[in-house]
């Protein structure tokens, strides 16, 4: 071999140049968040608007030809001029769509630190500190949520892990459920894989991620495939009906099928309905002891840090897993879904795989947690840092104030709707979530009422003054407007303004 | 209803207090990255070291009681004193384990901006700008990789999406493969779901995420379940043997099974072997036209941006999907796996599900990309920003310099090993990856040679002067040392120092 010639170095940004350029980024996001009210929540944007403003081909050279300060000034200008005007501003105080996607400066600081330390933590040995900080912070959250001691790594056989999303948590729970149920079935006399027919249950109001998890796991060919999935009816409060659940499970058992998974929801997407956990757990215990009961509390579960809202999780102690999303309503930037299990052993049994290049002395000792065995991907970011920053900055009491403020603001708009004869509440307010609509006129047909409400929703979002997500509620199907509150910037005046806008638009549309 | 009383406000960090506290975070990470060489790559850490230093319960109050500056100073001090010493420093220039997990200041700036804008982009309408910036930046990368035009959203029916990890990409590809193959089977006369037996193929050297994907998808009960999975033998270069693949597919077809998925690897984890894509694509076309051919090029694929390394992807044009990880060797912070498909329609067919609350006019128009239909989770971060920042700062030429530097440094250590009679190269160098070991002594048994190499690996990592990941290579099984180069801070002197350390430790251990 001959000595190879040295190629030119890449134009890395020198250490000393980073702080001033980063200070500009900090200034940019601070200004953005401070002045966000001056923007429409979502302005008029057409498909392709940004695409048409971006070069079709990547730049050939960058900092090798252009001084870094100039290069980054141009980039920030493009961000301001091309990107920000085409964004949906989830941090806007009048963003009431989907769910609150809380960001906070403490969590942003956690993201900055995580980006700088830049360390994967899929095995304990790949970053002991990241693993142990995650153990501690998710145990802190378990404590704040008043979970039973066995749901913590430090004090029990269960514990928590930070996932990307509730979708990942649900899929992980389903895969764990199937693995455990199948292992038990395999251990019984007469096991026949060809005749094993697993079934899963969730309410008709559950999030689409349950069916998507079944599609990924091979238990549904498409969203309408009901070979393995049972969508259980809901009661008047739009919560899962335990009688219907029992019937469905009983029918499957009579047909020699095996119930493996029940996904309960604490706070459905459309209306915030809370499934009856104690009854669901009892049904599972009595009729389907091999079934895993997972609680999707992704949006509302974090409210349980307030003692007065803790009852939403009553019955959890007999369930198998839970997910809550600090990245929704607990001031922690996306992604931060915390997935808890009562017993971590079935989870690890279902998810573990160890080739030679992942073996190491610490893992072999059994003394450490390797979080890759708690999730679907191998790699993972240092996400515990931001949750740690949030706990340190706010404290549990500060976080409770945030939840209570969201509920308080929802109570205000609930009252305004209640007091207004043109509108009606369509479902009971659930914490921070209010579903309502223009009340049908005497004798008005359902399609006509739906059309009026749809026009109102479109007009509201087109106004740029607020953003809401409409949905359809069952029994009978109704097109409804839905306001989800909980952004850290939202104050009482934003609620009053939003209500005034909705009323004005309603009068205009009606006129 | 009566007017509810206003709860105390949460102690949010005021806008004006954020920049100085953020400047401290910037200073901290700049100092960390600048002075990282003064740290051991992984110091002596024992399980529980950090856990024992962290309070068991979360703080009750935070900024409500303590001035924010003081609170954050204390937090940063804890980070310095408690967390950093227990980290594995992946950004250390002498970190040669697993794979390079590149961070760069441009990508960190992208992460800062994404954290501040804090917007999910699962539907186009939930952030038009994030969606379109992602379309453009992954098209840029496709252009840099010289992918065929149909693999881009802007110019073809395929395109790319940013996933968290290659694990997610492989699982997504597998689920898409099964959905497409099953839909085709269902359309044929005599369809019988009970007798449909799908099979998948990958080399025995493929990453564990392929088997894990099968476990999640319900095609393997455990890592050793071979009901649906065929692990194909490798040749002397540790690449998939096409003859063995043909045999396995033929045997399954004769048994009335349906080949649905072939996962090829461009750069295996252990040795960087490159499977023969043209032969694999040809075998699929001739014998298994319903099989989806996915290319896992997560570590090495990005090297194809250099024309001289583009041949590693030769044959791609007849495959169905590809993933490459800018978060490994292309200067983009984790997470940033880019998953490309030649045709996006089977992907969207397999992954799409649309409840009422996700319906909107833009999606219904068919004119926009909704990236939730390209992935398993619903939610997603604004990850395109960092890839955009990296392209803008480095340009394609700058990125090529980075790849070439990694290859150059690997050539240097390859030559040192080649020239040293005590050591031997165990597999051909693959770009930035070198596998080697202490050469067996004349007549030395295999267990003895393995034990000496294992001691050397442990001593090297315990020294704190470098970090390597050992592995086991087949044919016959050998314990080998593995050096993966490609960190942006790694220079020629680090390679020489590392080699000197390894030599010294070898002499000491031998002595």
């Amino acid at each position: 071999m001959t000595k190879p010639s040295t190629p030119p170095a890449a134009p890395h940004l020198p250490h000393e140049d980073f702080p001033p350029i980063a200070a500009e980024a900090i200034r940019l996001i601070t200004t953005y968040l401070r002045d966000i009210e001056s923007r429409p929540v979502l302005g008029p944007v057409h498909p392709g608007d940004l695409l048409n403003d971006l070069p079709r081909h990547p730049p050939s050279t960058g900092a090798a030809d252009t001084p870094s300060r100039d290069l980054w000034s141009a980039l920030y200008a493009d961000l301001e001029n091309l990107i920000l005007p085409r964004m949906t501003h989830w941090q806007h105080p009048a963003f009431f769509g989907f769910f609150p996607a809380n960001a906070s400066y403490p969590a942003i600081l956690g993201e900055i630190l995580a980006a700088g330390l830049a360390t994967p933590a899929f095995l304990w040995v790949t970053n002991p500190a990241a693993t142990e900080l995650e153990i501690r912070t998710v145990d802190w959250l378990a404590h704040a949520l008043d979970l039973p001691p066995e749901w913590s790594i430090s004090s029990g056989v269960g514990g928590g892990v930070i996932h990307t999303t509730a979708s990942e948590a649900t899929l992980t729970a389903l895969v764990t459920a199937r693995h455990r149920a199948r292992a038990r079935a395999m251990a019984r006399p007469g096991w026949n894989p060809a005749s094993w027919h697993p079934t899963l249950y969730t309410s008709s109001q559950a999030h689409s991620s349950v069916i998507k998890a079944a599609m990924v796991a091979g238990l549904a060919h498409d969203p309408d495939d009901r070979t393995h999935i049972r969508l259980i009816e809901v009661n008047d409060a739009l919560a899962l009906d335990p009688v219907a659940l029992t019937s469905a499970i009983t029918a499957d058992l009579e047909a020699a099928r095996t119930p493996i998974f029940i996904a309960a929801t604490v706070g459905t997407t459309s209306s915030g309905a809370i499934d009856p956990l104690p009854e669901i757990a009892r049904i599972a215990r009595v009729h389907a002891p091999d079934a895993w009961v997972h609680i999707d509390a992704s949006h509302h579960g974090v409210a349980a840090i307030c003692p007065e809202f803790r009852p939403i999780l009553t019955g959890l102690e007999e369930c198998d897993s839970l997910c809550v999303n600090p990245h929704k309503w607990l001031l922690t930037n996306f992604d931060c879904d915390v997935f808890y299990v009562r017993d971590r052993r079935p989870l690890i049994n279902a998810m573990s795989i160890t080739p030679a290049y992942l073996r190491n002395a610490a893992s072999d000792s059994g003394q450490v947690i390797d979080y890759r065995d708690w999730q679907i991907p191998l790699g993972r970011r240092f996400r515990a840092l931001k949750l740690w920053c949030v706990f340190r900055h706010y404290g549990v009491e500060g976080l409770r104030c945030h939840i209570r403020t969201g509920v308080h603001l929802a109570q205000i708009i609930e009252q305004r709707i209640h007091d207004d004869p043109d509108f009606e509440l369509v479902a009971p307010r659930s914490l921070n979530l209010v579903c309502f609509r223009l009340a049908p006129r005497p004798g008005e047909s359902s399609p006509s009422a739906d059309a009026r409400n749809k026009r109102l929703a479109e007009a509201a979002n087109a106004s740029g003054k607020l953003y809401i997500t409409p949905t359809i509620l069952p029994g009978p199907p109704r097109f409804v407007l839905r306001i989800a509150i909980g952004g850290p910037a939202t104050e009482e005046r934003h609620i009053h303004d939003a209500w005034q806008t909705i009323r004005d638009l309603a009068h205009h549309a009606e006129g």
Side-chain angles (χ1 to χ4, degrees), chain A:
Chain A
M1 299 187 192
T2 55
K3 183 163 165 59
S5 62
T6 304
H12 300 299
L13 190 64
H15 295 291
E16 61 273 21
D17 289 354
F18 175 62
I21 293 173
E24 277 302 292
I26 297 295
R27 189 201 56 75
L28 190 152
I29 64 176
T30 309
T31 307
Y32 169 74
L33 291 170
R34 189 192 63 202
D35 300 342
I36 198 165
E37 277 186 68
S38 65
R39 298 177 184 273
V41 187
L42 172 59
V45 188
H46 301 98
D49 279 354
L50 177 61
L51 274 175
N52 293 334
D53 283 342
L54 296 170
R56 284 185 74 88
H57 296 307
S60 173
T61 57
D65 285 348
T66 310
S68 293
R69 287 284 201 126
D70 298 347
L71 187 151
W72 283 91
S73 292
L75 186 150
Y76 294 147
D78 283 351
L79 186 72
E80 297 266 15
N81 299 326
L82 305 181
I83 293 178
L84 295 188
R86 280 73 177 254
M87 274 187 38
T88 308
H89 302 291
W90 285 65
Q91 303 309 316
H92 195 293
F95 182 92
F96 305 117
F98 301 99
F99 49 82
N102 283 182
S104 71
Y105 285 129
I108 293 169
L109 290 163
E111 288 283 32
I112 292 171
L113 296 170
L117 304 184
T119 165
F122 47 85
L123 296 167
W124 179 87
V125 76
T126 64
N127 193 330
T131 301
E132 298 194 4
L133 192 71
E134 184 160 338
I135 291 171
R136 189 56 97 214
T137 52
V138 301
D139 275 2
W140 281 0
L141 182 60
H143 185 267
L145 292 166
D146 195 21
L147 302 189
E150 61 262 44
W151 293 62
S152 289
I153 289 177
S154 303
S155 56
V157 296
V161 58
I162 303 179
H163 279 177
T164 54
T165 57
S167 303
E168 185 184 347
T170 301
L171 176 56
T172 304
L174 174 58
V175 169
T176 302
R178 174 171 59 191
H179 186 268
R180 187 180 72 168
R182 194 171 190 275
R184 289 179 183 175
M186 287 167 74
R188 291 185 186 124
W191 159 248
N192 176 2
S195 64
W196 193 64
H197 188 118
T199 49
L200 43 144
Y201 308 83
T202 198
S203 101
S204 60
Q205 287 292 297
H207 191 261
S208 59
S209 54
V210 179
I211 290 179
K212 188 152 177 176
M215 290 160 65
V216 171
L219 292 168
H221 175 63
D222 60 49
D224 300 318
D225 180 358
R226 296 290 172 269
T227 312
H228 299 275
I229 299 174
R230 312 287 174 251
L231 287 191
I232 307 300
E233 291 163 36
V234 293
N235 60 22
D236 289 347
L238 303 177
L240 181 142
D241 175 6
V243 175
L245 176 63
T246 304
S247 300
I249 288 178
T250 307
D252 280 324
L253 290 171
E254 283 171 3
R257 301 184 193 112
T258 307
I260 62 165
F261 187 63
I262 304 171
T265 311
V266 168
T268 57
T269 304
S270 282
S271 74
I274 292 170
D275 289 346
L277 301 182
E279 287 85 344
I280 291 170
R282 190 193 57 77
I283 292 165
R285 194 172 62 243
V286 172
H287 298 286
D290 288 344
W292 181 281
V293 183
H294 173 65
I295 305 164
D296 175 357
S298 57
H299 177 173
H300 285 123
V302 292
I305 65 168
C306 300
E308 68 272 29
F309 303 130
R310 178 60 175 76
I312 63 175
L313 294 182
T314 297
L316 158 128
E317 52 283 357
E318 296 205 57
C319 299
D320 293 287
S321 57
L322 164 75
C323 78
V324 299
N325 287 7
H327 73 228
K328 282 187 173 139
W329 194 17
L330 208 65
L331 298 167
T332 309
N333 279 52
F334 189 92
D335 46 357
C336 186
D337 165 276
V338 186
F339 175 61
Y340 288 103
V341 289
R342 189 176 56 173
D343 184 347
R344 58 186 178 261
R345 290 165 297 191
L347 170 64
I348 293 169
N349 286 343
M351 304 300 283
S352 184
I353 174 169
T354 306
Y357 50 82
L358 294 180
R359 285 199 61 171
N360 63 88
S363 297
D364 289 349
S365 76
Q367 296 186 303
V368 299
I369 294 287
D370 290 325
Y371 269 129
R372 69 173 180 117
D373 295 330
W374 295 54
Q375 65 175 22
I376 289 161
L378 174 61
R380 53 208 323 275
R381 297 197 304 133
F382 193 171
R383 291 179 292 218
L385 266 178
K386 60 187 167 189
L387 190 56
W388 184 60
C389 290
V390 166
F391 266 114
R392 293 281 294 253
H393 180 85
Y394 286 97
V396 175
E397 282 304 327
L399 295 173
R400 286 175 178 154
C401 293
H402 174 62
I403 296 291
R404 286 172 182 144
T405 298
V407 173
H408 171 70
L409 297 177
Q411 286 170 326
I412 290 174
I413 204 155
E414 175 190 29
Q415 181 144 4
R416 301 295 294 264
I417 296 165
H418 175 267
D419 294 346
D420 191 317
D422 291 340
F423 289 86
E424 67 177 12
L425 293 161
V426 183
R429 176 184 57 80
S430 181
L431 297 167
N432 61 336
L433 183 59
V434 179
C435 290
F436 67 102
R437 64 171 179 166
L438 285 165
R441 294 163 178 159
E444 186 182 19
S445 72
S446 176
S448 166
D450 284 357
R452 284 198 297 133
N453 278 286
K454 194 168 185 186
R455 281 198 302 274
L456 177 56
E458 287 169 356
N461 288 348
S463 77
K465 294 182 180 172
L466 73 163
Y467 195 90
I468 57 176
T469 311
T471 191
I472 294 169
L473 290 184
R478 289 152 294 170
F479 187 94
V480 305
L481 288 68
R482 181 183 166 282
I483 289 197
I485 295 172
T490 306
E491 299 171 13
E492 198 165 322
R493 63 188 171 92
H494 302 109
I495 300 297
H496 294 304
D497 289 350
W499 183 246
Q500 192 59 47
T501 300
I502 290 171
R503 277 199 53 76
D504 290 349
L505 289 168
H507 281 283
H508 182 79
E510 307 285 283

